[in-house]
Every structure is written in structure tokens, then in C-alpha cells.
Amino acid sequence: MEKIRRASHAGSWYTDNSKRLAEELDGWLRAAALPKSPEVRGVIAPHAGYSYSGRAAAYAFGNIDPTNISRVFLLGPSHHYYTPKCALSTATVYKTPLGDLPIDLQVIEELKATGKFELMDLRVDEAEHSMEMHLPYLAQVFEGHPVKLVPILVGAVNPENEAIYGRLLAKYVDDPSNFFSVSSDFCHWGSRFNYTHYDKKHGAIHKSIEALDKMGMDLIETGDPDAFKQYLLEYDNTICGRHPISVFLHMLRNSSTKIKVKFLRYEQSSQCKTIRDSSVSYASAAAKVDNA
């Protein structure tokens, strides 16, 4: 029986007009002007409303060569629903204004059988925006190339379990027909986010935020989940996709294929100059097979 996850944020976080949406995404992808590479096996991309992070996200999705990919694993953080585990979607299809994306029920069953995952009901699935904001880009990039989704909501997973999920999912990295779309924004700065870390040696507040984010991005690029965890403990940077990113780093560490993450774009929603200001940072990365 078909179970549909509606595009619940269309019409608010991004336009529900399919023609306008396709033109908008196409414009951003063309502006990013990135070479498509079959070596790119995953991305880290933001999940804010497209008016904020749509342009930055193109620097992730613009790397994708859809030719040999038949499955996309989506890893997104949970903003509203608390779980210490990872949760699987119970939908059979994800709707987008640019066409439907079917769920890979076979892989969902495989993961369910491990006993490590919980299931999220449709209400939780539709309330969450972190994975939905990747869908129109995926629908656009994979147009004409049938692809199935494996959506995984990554909860407030402790470091031991991040490693367990990483080991469990690592085998999927070794199959080149699999792709990984990891959803995260970076620093949420300002009193409304209860986060106002400011190191004056960098000058203006927005420069301090950038230095803090870049430190985290550099550690993600090393591929070391433990170093990234240490950074989060020390600075508590409000990277909302910290858990999906950590699980992804553990996956890469445990796979036989050597894959390196490289950030290609960094933006802030606005430039904070005073303590009354606030901003969210967006960073886009490609995870590419490292033949070195």
C-alpha cells in the first residue's frame, strides 16, 4: 500500500510552483558551475529555506553525476522529535513539486532487521524539514535517472552509537551505486539561539563565527569523527547536523573505499556586528573517492 510523505514545506520554505522551482535550482546550479564527477559519492548540504541557503546548497548538489547512482541515503537531524536512535521513514514515496521519489523498501527492511533503528511515523516525518530541503535538488539533479531514497532521521545519538551506526552503514559506501546526502546547517549565532561565542581576536563577530565554523569544517575534512567530537565538546558550536555528520564520518572511516570530504562553499545568512544580531551559517561539501 502506498504511503505518501507530502512536500509539507513547499509553499513556505521554498516555492510550490514546479516551473519556478526548477528554474531557481537550475539558476543556482549553473552559477556554481561545478564539474560533475562520478567520484563524488556524497554531499554535506544545508537545509534552510531556499531564499537563505538555496544558493550555497548548489555547491554540494552541483557535483553529482547521476549516471551510475540508483540509491540515495538521506541523513538528517531531528529538530522536533527526540530519539537517542536513528529512525527510518515509514513512507513508501516522498513527494516533491518536481516529481515523486520512491523509498527503497528493501534497504529499509534490511536496516530494520538489524534491530538498531526505530520507525518514525508520517507526522514526525512531515514535520521535519532537514531531509525535505534536499529533495527538490535531488529530484532536479536525478531527473531522467530513476533513483530510490533511504531516509534516516539521526536523533541525539551518543558517540558510541554514532560509531555503531557508522560501522553498520559502511558497507553501503562500498557500493558505487549508492550516494549519501547529509543535511546540516552550521553555526546558529545570537541570543535567540542561546549561543554567542565571540573570540575578539578575529575582529568583527561574523569573522569570529567564520573562524569557528572553518575550524569545524577543517576537522570534518580530516575525516576524524573523534577530533570533530572534541571540537564540539570544546566550543559547543551549534551545528544542527552534528550527529548525521558524525555518523557519516564513521561510515567513511569503516568503508574499504577511501573517500575524502572537501568543503566548497561557506556563507552566512547575515553578517553579525553586534550582540543583538543573529545569523545562521551554511556550508556545502562534496565527499569524493580519493585515488591518491
Side-chain angles (χ1 to χ4, degrees), residues 200-241:
K200 292 185 171 59
K201 77 163 183 271
H202 297 291
I205 293 173
H206 65 89
K207 287 287 190 199
S208 165
I209 296 169
E210 181 171 351
L212 181 70
D213 279 331
K214 293 261 166 96
M215 197 191 307
M217 290 153 67
D218 289 347
L219 288 169
I220 293 166
E221 287 186 352
T222 68
D224 182 350
D226 305 318
F228 182 53
K229 184 62 60 199
Q230 210 40 56
Y231 157 85
L232 291 170
L233 283 171
E234 192 173 338
Y235 296 98
D236 202 28
N237 191 2
T238 41
I239 299 171
C240 54

Side-chain angles (χ1 to χ4, degrees), residues 13 44-57 59 184-188 192-193 209 213-214 217 240 263-270 278-285:
W13 288 57
I44 298 172
H47 55 237
Y50 280 177
S51 61
Y52 295 103
S53 71
R55 180 180 62 181
Y59 286 84
S184 185
D185 294 336
F186 274 70
C187 185
H188 297 60
R192 72 190 184 102
F193 299 118
I209 296 169
D213 279 331
K214 293 261 166 96
M217 290 153 67
C240 54
F263 280 91
L264 301 167
R265 186 73 173 180
Y266 176 78
E267 295 182 17
Q268 294 173 350
S269 59
S270 60
S278 68
S279 72
V280 180
S281 309
Y282 312 117
S284 294

Side-chain angles (χ1 to χ4, degrees), residues 14-269:
Y14 56 97
T15 177
D16 53 6
N17 177 315
S18 55
K19 188 174 178 294
R20 196 174 326 136
L21 181 58
E23 282 169 2
E24 202 169 57
L25 298 182
D26 196 47
W28 284 322
L29 288 164
R30 273 208 312 269
L34 294 163
K36 292 175 173 25
S37 166
E39 306 281 83
V40 171
R41 302 282 302 284
V43 293
I44 298 172
H47 55 237
Y50 280 177
S51 61
Y52 295 103
S53 71
R55 180 180 62 181
Y59 286 84
F61 297 106
N63 295 281
I64 301 173
D65 178 350
T67 321
N68 302 314
I69 297 164
S70 56
R71 189 183 293 115
V72 177
F73 286 75
L74 264 169
L75 280 78
S78 181
H79 286 84
H80 312 292
Y81 169 75
Y82 176 79
T83 171
K85 293 182 166 183
C86 287
L88 302 168
S89 177
T90 51
T92 61
V93 64
Y94 273 17
K95 282 208 158 322
T96 88
L98 302 178
D100 297 351
L101 294 164
I103 304 301
D104 193 323
L105 301 177
Q106 193 185 331
V107 175
I108 295 282
E109 283 306 319
E110 265 175 45
L111 295 176
K112 228 189 275 185
T114 65
K116 299 278 186 210
F117 294 83
E118 59 174 67
L119 300 177
M120 59 170 155
D121 64 36
L122 215 47
R123 200 174 37 98
V124 168
D125 203 342
E126 289 185 340
E128 182 52 63
H129 63 273
S130 71
M131 294 191 278
E132 180 179 339
M133 297 310 293
H134 282 202
L135 300 176
Y137 260 119
L138 292 169
Q140 180 88 346
V141 169
F142 285 98
E143 194 191 359
H145 300 267
V147 71
K148 287 183 174 179
L149 297 181
V150 182
I152 302 173
L153 184 76
V154 182
V157 182
N158 69 29
E160 294 71 35
N161 285 331
E162 286 174 346
I164 288 169
Y165 284 115
R167 285 197 292 274
L168 195 132
L169 293 164
K171 68 169 188 178
Y172 297 104
V173 179
D174 290 322
D175 178 348
S177 67
N178 289 333
F179 190 86
F180 302 87
S181 198
V182 181
S183 180
S184 185
D185 294 336
F186 274 70
C187 185
H188 297 60
W189 196 94
S191 51
R192 72 190 184 102
F193 299 118
N194 293 318
Y195 189 75
T196 50
H197 170 91
Y198 177 28
D199 186 342
K200 292 185 171 59
K201 77 163 183 271
H202 297 291
I205 293 173
H206 65 89
K207 287 287 190 199
S208 165
I209 296 169
E210 181 171 351
L212 181 70
D213 279 331
K214 293 261 166 96
M215 197 191 307
M217 290 153 67
D218 289 347
L219 288 169
I220 293 166
E221 287 186 352
T222 68
D224 182 350
D226 305 318
F228 182 53
K229 184 62 60 199
Q230 210 40 56
Y231 157 85
L232 291 170
L233 283 171
E234 192 173 338
Y235 296 98
D236 202 28
N237 191 2
T238 41
I239 299 171
C240 54
R242 54 174 65 191
H243 297 298
I245 291 171
S246 297
V247 169
F248 186 53
L249 292 178
H250 280 289
M251 285 160 64
L252 299 186
R253 176 190 262 183
N254 287 283
S255 69
S256 320
T257 318
K258 198 163 180 279
I259 290 174
K260 263 184 96 62
V261 176
K262 187 166 173 39
F263 280 91
L264 301 167
R265 186 73 173 180
Y266 176 78
E267 295 182 17
Q268 294 173 350
S269 59

